[in-house]
Amino acid sequence: MKKALLFVALVAMGLSSVAQNKAQQKRIAEVRTLYARAMENIKADAELPETDNHLVIDLHRMMPGTGIQNKKVSCYSHEAGDEDQMYKWDVYFMRSSYNVAALQFNEEYLVDEKSQQPVFIFFVGNTYQHDGTIEKRYYFNADGTPCFLQITHKDDEGGVISKEEIKDYDDNIDALDMVRSFHDNMNMYNNVMSAGFHE
């Protein structure tokens, strides 16, 4: 009897894992479509000045202990299209690149235009743990709740050293850092874009 119950439990866990993987694969496909659309929007907006709402901050500063830091943040948006919010732009994509000493980092944020919440956050950069890079992909559900975080370590030739999937992201420092960076960039964008506009 115990063996039968154990077998049923294992089958149920396997089915749950398959369903979860299908849901995750579906979300990954949706995010890829949204990402491709954002890239098309950036290209189209650049060709038509009337629709090209973007902000680029190119920062050069001396950091204690690590030397010169060059940081570039690019944010892309559309007008809210609401007469009640005349000076509001809805962000749909942000990109950030920076260094800490000799280490290089890149971040991308795909943003839901209506909710202004993250859809997908991507991070890639050097790591002190090995000579290669670390990639973090943080997927969010359509309602803005976290879906899952995938962390991949690669060697200096791009081969995968390890891959980890995190679903318990509430106390995960990687997940919290990525969301904090998203909000930092959104706050910076909103502060700069709305500077000087008073209704």
Side-chain angles (χ1 to χ4, degrees):
M1 183 67 172
K2 286 183 181 177
K3 286 183 181 178
L5 288 175
L6 180 62
F7 176 75
V8 170
L10 290 172
V11 169
M13 284 172 49
L15 291 174
S16 173
S17 175
V18 168
Q20 193 169 40
N21 286 338
K22 283 185 179 180
Q24 289 174 350
Q25 292 303 319
K26 180 182 178 202
R27 189 56 182 158
I28 289 170
E30 291 169 351
V31 165
R32 285 180 179 160
T33 300
L34 293 169
Y35 186 94
R37 188 179 306 151
M39 296 303 102
E40 289 170 6
N41 285 340
I42 290 171
K43 184 178 178 184
D45 288 347
E47 293 170 357
L48 187 62
E50 292 82 6
T51 63
D52 188 14
N53 295 304
H54 74 276
L55 169 71
V56 178
I57 294 179
D58 196 351
L59 182 65
H60 183 85
R61 61 185 173 183
M62 177 62 77
M63 298 294 287
T66 59
I68 298 291
Q69 182 183 59
N70 294 298
K71 182 172 185 177
K72 185 174 183 179
V73 181
S74 302
C75 305
Y76 303 89
S77 64
H78 291 137
E79 290 179 66
D82 186 345
E83 289 184 12
D84 294 331
Q85 298 180 341
M86 190 177 297
Y87 301 119
K88 184 176 183 306
W89 294 269
D90 292 331
V91 176
Y92 62 87
F93 192 79
M94 296 185 291
R95 182 179 287 126
S96 175
S97 61
Y98 56 95
N99 71 291
V100 175
L103 304 182
Q104 296 291 324
F105 304 96
N106 293 288
E107 299 171 0
E108 291 185 343
Y109 307 89
L110 184 61
V111 185
D112 183 277
E113 282 191 61
K114 291 181 181 174
S115 69
Q116 293 294 274
Q117 293 301 312
V119 171
F120 172 69
I121 303 175
F122 175 71
F123 169 94
V124 62
N126 302 118
T127 175
Y128 290 111
Q129 296 171 317
H130 49 77
D131 288 336
T133 58
I134 182 170
E135 294 181 358
K136 302 174 190 175
R137 289 174 171 83
Y138 200 178
Y139 294 86
F140 296 80
N141 294 310
D143 64 1
T145 59
C147 185
F148 71 100
L149 170 63
Q150 186 180 72
I151 300 176
T152 306
H153 288 267
K154 294 186 176 181
D155 61 27
D156 55 356
E157 294 179 0
V160 174
I161 298 171
S162 68
K163 189 179 277 192
E164 177 185 11
E165 193 173 288
I166 296 167
K167 296 173 190 143
D168 185 18
Y169 21 71
D170 292 334
D171 296 321
N172 183 277
I173 193 72
D174 292 294
L176 295 172
D177 278 348
M178 293 174 83
V179 171
R180 179 190 50 79
S181 292
F182 166 79
H183 288 294
D184 286 347
N185 283 303
M186 283 294 286
N187 289 336
M188 176 217 46
Y189 176 83
N190 288 322
N191 287 334
V192 173
M193 286 296 277
S194 62
F197 292 111
H198 305 285
E199 296 187 52

